[in-house]
Amino acid sequence: MKKIAITGSNGFIGSTLTRILKKNYDVISLVRYGSNIELLPEDSTIVYIDYHKPDKIAEILKDVEILIHTAALTRAKTWQQFKKINIDLTEKLVDIFNDTESLKQFVFISSQAASGPAQSKTTPKIESDKCEPISMYGRSKFLAENIIKEKANKPWTIIRPVAVFGPGDKDFLQYFKLMKSHLAFITGFKKKYINLIYVDDLVEITSKTLVNEKAYNQILFASNSEAYSLENFIQNLGSFMNTYFITIHVPEILLYPIALIGEFFSIFSKKPPIINREKIKEFKERYWLVNNEKANKLLDFKPSDNIVQNLQTTYNWYKEKKWI
Ligand SMILES: NC(=O)c1ccc[n+]([C@@H]2O[C@H](COP(=O)([O-])OP(=O)(O)OC[C@H]3O[C@@H](n4cnc5c(N)ncnc54)[C@H](OP(=O)(O)O)[C@@H]3O)[C@@H](O)[C@H]2O)c1
């Protein structure tokens, strides 16, 4: 069996990749010392690492063929934090990749945020469009992509998922929790659209890029095919959660002060707030939309567009794990 190593493998996406890829690959889960491993399957091969010790990482990777890099900060208080993890760590891993003979492919889980939002509902972003990230997170992912493209001297694949949901995710969990308390918040009054991808679909796309020459040195959006309005998404949630809810439209003019309050209280915490000025920039955009044709054609992939069923599975998982 081919050996794969996954950074960030205890996270939402990393743990799902580990669980599914383990069926066909020898997967090594790279995890930081002291990290929470509750999402990883019990029989995972966990190797604890210190990202400040590249020599030790190189030693661990000496007989690994594919490195999947998912570790990242999706929220941070400062640009320095984003830079250190999302850019500098990626560069360090690319150096190790170049110097490690056994490694044949570097797969980077980037983000739609690297490319930025689309201009309209009818012009979803395509991979060759100019990247126009609007947040520090997006910029850090974009710059990390550039490092891979410029420095990697062997095949790489960059996957840019749209918003990912599924068992283990803590972001969409907040929507589910609000709906359970009969509330749904929408920012502003203009219709906003998003694409979504179920985590198992993202894993399938990733899996189809592995040792696949067609995917070498390619950037691919990972998304299902529907553009969901936020109202539509919330209605779907409400229908299978079998709950009534009140939709509150928060005027955009209030978002900035709300973010400032969040940031003020987060001064006393190590964690960045759920809502800050960076997130507000993202919330205000109306068209977080991409065209998924390139990945679908290249990888012969068909996303499971049954969002209700996948949301239901996610909800059941949250209930089973008592996250909700
Ligand atoms: N979820 C989405 O909707 C979405 C959409 C597009 C792209 N992505 C990308 O997908 C990847 C995984 O996201 P996720 O949703 O699975 O996030 P997640 O659950 O927060 O997992 C993040 C992973 O990164 C690791 N990490 C965080 N800070 C680190 C640091 N300082 N040094 C080393 N590792 C660190 C975490 O390890 P610890 O537990 O040790 O902190 C964890 O394993 C990220 O690259 C993200 O940008 C996610």
Side-chain angles (χ1 to χ4, degrees):
M1 269 208 267
K2 286 193 191 307
K3 244 186 183 179
I4 295 182
I6 305 177
T7 69
S9 62
N10 60 319
F12 159 50
I13 292 170
S15 61
T16 316
L17 276 165
T18 304
R19 179 172 50 78
I20 299 178
L21 294 182
K22 254 162 55 54
K23 293 173 191 158
N24 298 310
Y25 295 91
D26 187 356
V27 177
I28 298 181
S29 296
L30 302 177
V31 176
R32 291 195 293 169
Y33 288 99
S35 293
N36 183 338
I37 54 165
E38 69 170 334
L39 290 177
L40 274 173
E42 274 182 10
D43 58 349
S44 305
T45 307
I46 298 176
V47 177
Y48 288 95
I49 53 166
D50 177 347
Y51 285 107
H52 298 104
K53 295 186 177 155
D55 289 353
K56 288 247 167 81
I57 300 174
E59 178 65 22
I60 293 161
L61 297 177
K62 72 175 188 307
D63 58 350
V64 171
E65 276 188 51
I66 303 162
L67 178 61
I68 306 181
H69 178 35
T70 82
L73 283 182
T74 53
R75 284 195 169 78
K77 287 185 180 181
T78 64
W79 168 248
Q80 275 316 311
Q81 291 170 336
F82 276 121
K83 181 178 175 302
K84 193 171 156 217
I85 310 309
N86 296 3
I87 303 174
D88 299 348
L89 175 58
T90 304
E91 183 159 20
K92 217 182 274 180
L93 290 170
V94 170
D95 288 340
I96 294 172
F97 171 69
N98 285 342
D99 294 344
T100 305
E101 216 185 314
S102 63
L103 283 171
K104 304 279 184 275
Q105 187 182 8
F106 188 102
V107 179
F108 179 54
I109 304 298
S110 181
S111 167
Q112 169 189 33
S115 158
Q119 291 302 313
S120 72
K121 192 171 178 231
T122 51
T123 56
K125 282 265 187 180
I126 57 171
E127 289 83 349
S128 54
D129 280 345
K130 186 172 178 238
C131 283
E132 294 161 317
I134 55 156
S135 61
M136 292 197 281
Y137 166 63
R139 206 160 65 248
S140 69
K141 287 298 218 179
F142 168 63
L143 293 173
E145 287 187 1
N146 284 347
I147 285 172
I148 295 165
K149 288 192 284 180
E150 282 160 20
K151 282 192 94 175
N153 61 17
K154 288 179 277 182
W156 50 263
T157 304
I158 293 172
I159 299 172
R160 289 184 185 154
V162 297
V164 190
F165 72 97
D169 167 52
K170 291 184 177 145
D171 287 343
F172 279 100
L173 173 66
Q174 308 307 325
Y175 277 98
F176 284 83
K177 281 186 172 169
L178 280 170
M179 294 291 289
K180 229 185 154 200
S181 34
H182 310 295
L183 286 175
F185 288 101
I186 292 183
T187 56
F189 295 92
K190 288 182 188 155
K191 258 207 161 137
K192 296 191 169 73
Y193 295 89
I194 53 168
N195 285 133
L196 296 166
I197 186 160
Y198 186 51
V199 66
D200 288 23
D201 281 354
L202 172 59
V203 172
E204 197 180 337
I205 288 179
T206 309
S207 141
K208 280 175 173 265
T209 69
L210 306 181
V211 213
N212 177 353
E213 284 183 18
K214 286 188 201 162
Y216 287 174
N217 305 338
Q218 296 292 332
I219 298 181
L220 302 167
F221 280 123
S223 174
N224 69 8
S225 310
E226 291 280 321
Y228 297 97
S229 69
L230 289 178
E231 286 83 351
N232 185 221
F233 173 70
I234 285 164
Q235 257 152 22
N236 274 328
L237 277 192
S239 66
F240 71 78
M241 286 175 78
N242 208 8
T243 182
Y244 71 90
F245 61 95
I246 301 163
T247 306
I248 299 171
H249 285 264
V250 183
E252 285 189 352
I253 199 163
L254 292 181
L255 294 178
Y256 196 73
I258 292 173
L260 282 179
I261 294 169
E263 286 176 35
F264 173 75
F265 282 105
S266 82
I267 292 172
F268 308 105
S269 146
K270 273 192 180 164
K271 284 188 182 169
I274 291 182
I275 296 185
N276 59 12
R277 279 170 290 173
E278 287 296 306
K279 284 286 155 203
I280 295 296
K281 282 185 204 162
E282 292 175 356
F283 286 157
K284 280 170 107 171
E285 288 298 328
R286 294 185 60 199
Y287 308 107
W288 280 106
L289 300 174
V290 304
N291 182 322
N292 63 2
E293 271 175 32
K294 181 177 172 187
N296 293 359
K297 276 195 190 141
L298 199 79
L299 306 172
D300 192 19
F301 172 75
K302 201 175 171 316
S304 59
D305 277 329
N306 194 342
I307 186 171
V308 178
Q309 192 186 317
N310 292 334
L311 285 169
Q312 175 87 62
T313 306
T314 307
Y315 182 49
N316 292 344
W317 187 92
Y318 287 148
K319 283 199 295 188
E320 198 186 301
K321 299 285 173 189
K322 304 208 177 346
W323 282 23
I324 200 163

